[in-house]
Amino acid sequence: AVRGIDYQIIEAAKNLGASFGTIIFRIIVPLLKPTYLAITILIFLTGLSAMSAPLILGGEDFQTINPMIMTFAQSTYSREIAALLAIILGIATILLLTGMNKLEKGGTYISVAKTKAKMVKQKITSPLANMLAHGLAYLLLLIYVTPIILVVIYSFTNSINITSGILSAKDFTLENYITLFTQSNAFKPYLVSLLYAFLSAVIVAIIAVLLSRI
């Protein structure tokens, strides 16, 4: 979204004497408003449907609505409660989308230039602001990369070592990968997940196209 901004707008603001803060808060932030709304919706929906994150961060006693739906759905005596929770989850999603649509209608700014200029990398002149920006960027990089690195490392060992937190060189093997690609019961969940993802994407695309025509 930032790369899609027309740099000519920023140049024009500079020529008119606008400060760095004015350009950020009066030009760039309004232009990125649709992106903020889209990101908010996606993160909110991801948070509602999260399964593993609540258990990892909060433990078994920390309950969120989606794991509760799964728990109640596994028993024939509590499926009605699971259905009710699913309806509540759906209503929350609809309310979020409705609210976001109203916010977006309140004023969205777009660049209508026929020939856009590419965004040019800006130098932060303030040493303090420069240090804070780079510090935040590296912190975010660490937050994003650490889980991926840990998953790769843990994939070479077994659950006992992960649970105990004791890792040694002799415990790292290719056994998990061998099991995954040689046993059908281990690979089947991945295949089913890919199939479900493909079918859901196709079905949603068809529904969206039909609804957009209506």
Side-chain angles (χ1 to χ4, degrees), residues 90-162:
I91 292 171
T93 305
I94 292 168
L95 290 174
L96 171 75
L97 293 172
T98 305
M100 286 298 175
N101 282 332
K102 288 197 173 292
L103 281 174
E104 194 170 0
K105 288 177 182 177
T108 299
Y109 304 90
I110 58 173
S111 174
V112 292
K114 291 183 179 179
T115 55
K116 289 185 177 182
K118 286 187 178 180
M119 197 71 175
V120 178
K121 188 177 179 180
Q122 303 293 303
K123 185 178 180 179
I124 303 173
T125 54
S126 170
L128 179 61
N130 188 35
M131 184 178 68
L132 289 173
H134 281 81
L136 179 61
Y138 285 119
L139 177 63
L140 288 173
L141 175 66
L142 183 66
I143 291 170
Y144 294 144
V145 171
T146 301
I148 300 170
I149 294 173
L150 289 176
V151 167
V152 172
I153 293 171
Y154 290 155
S155 69
F156 291 99
T157 185
N158 55 52
S159 59
I160 297 173
N161 296 113
I162 297 169

Side-chain angles (χ1 to χ4, degrees), residues 46-56 64 66-68 70-71:
T46 305
L48 282 179
S49 61
M51 292 291 294
S52 57
L55 294 173
I56 292 170
T64 57
N66 214 47
M68 285 177 68
M70 289 295 295
T71 303

Side-chain angles (χ1 to χ4, degrees), residues 1-2 5 24-25 28-43 100:
V2 172
I5 294 174
I24 289 288
F25 294 107
I28 294 177
V29 170
L31 285 173
L32 295 178
K33 186 178 177 184
T35 306
Y36 293 144
L37 295 174
I39 290 172
T40 303
I41 292 169
L42 289 172
I43 293 176
M100 286 298 175

